[in-house]
Amino acid sequence: MHFRLPAQTRALAIPEIIISILHEMDMQTLMAAQRVCRTWADQIRRSRSLQKALFFIPASEKSGAGTRVYNPMLARAFQSAFPSEDLRDASNASDSIEDVSLSDFDLTKSPAKREMYLRPEASWRRMLTQQPPVSTVGLFSMGAGPMGLSWHQERATRQDEGLRMGALFEWLVHLGRHEWNSATIAICLGGAEPVNMPLEIIRPCTSVFTDGINGDWRAMAADFDLVLLASSASTCVDPEGPDDPDWVKSSDEIAWEEICETYSELGLTVAGLKMETYNEGGAWWN
């Protein structure tokens, strides 16, 4: 005996209709749709347009019309790693730069969340941070000490398939204990349309000339899609490390310790991005 399938069932067997329906979903619903059935999961994996919508493969510059679109799921889970879009045209660094805080990331809220997030197969690791993707990545480190102001610049190899959140996250963790205890860490988006790459770094005092550091800073703003800024200051009486009785752990240092412990428990290594130093400079107190 032949049974005629309902029209709805027959329609949902047509791949083009399924793809059209899936395109109407927001990102979180689309991710969940992969668990509905094997057919939907296969359609999502095979569709380049849906993989772009899920930030798994890069969108072209033309399709982005020159504007950045943050990965909405990542921007919620790692909020301080995504600079606000209303920071353009600030007059100096202190006006525009927002600190990255590990302790604000969703994964730090509980041990169970840390273990869930940090699984090596977790999908967020493979996601692009934005569309069109970040391709050129650099590190600008500067420090003020008893002798003056120093800085150095590093760059990673070009991210031809775009910067993935797993690489960015591990790069942040790879900075280490001292940076997460006392340094200011910020993510700055530069390139043709900077978001929070101010033209000038504020002078630490009137007795130091900052033309050199600002020239190097402006060059990075123009040449890199993303610059990780690490800024610190030290004196002769600062505690030297966690073994010093005067050392006080910050909330970010505690979060960093917990992340590293979870990595160790899972048998993972914090890889970070391989960086190459290409410039250094200094300005001494007069």
Side-chain angles (χ1 to χ4, degrees), residues 16 36 86 167 255 259:
E16 290 78 9
V36 170
D86 59 356
I259 290 168

Side-chain angles (χ1 to χ4, degrees), residues 177-178 181-182 235-248:
R177 179 185 301 279
H178 282 78
N181 177 269
S182 56
T235 69
C236 296
V237 296
D238 286 344
E240 296 182 358
D243 294 332
D244 191 312
D246 293 326
W247 183 269
V248 178

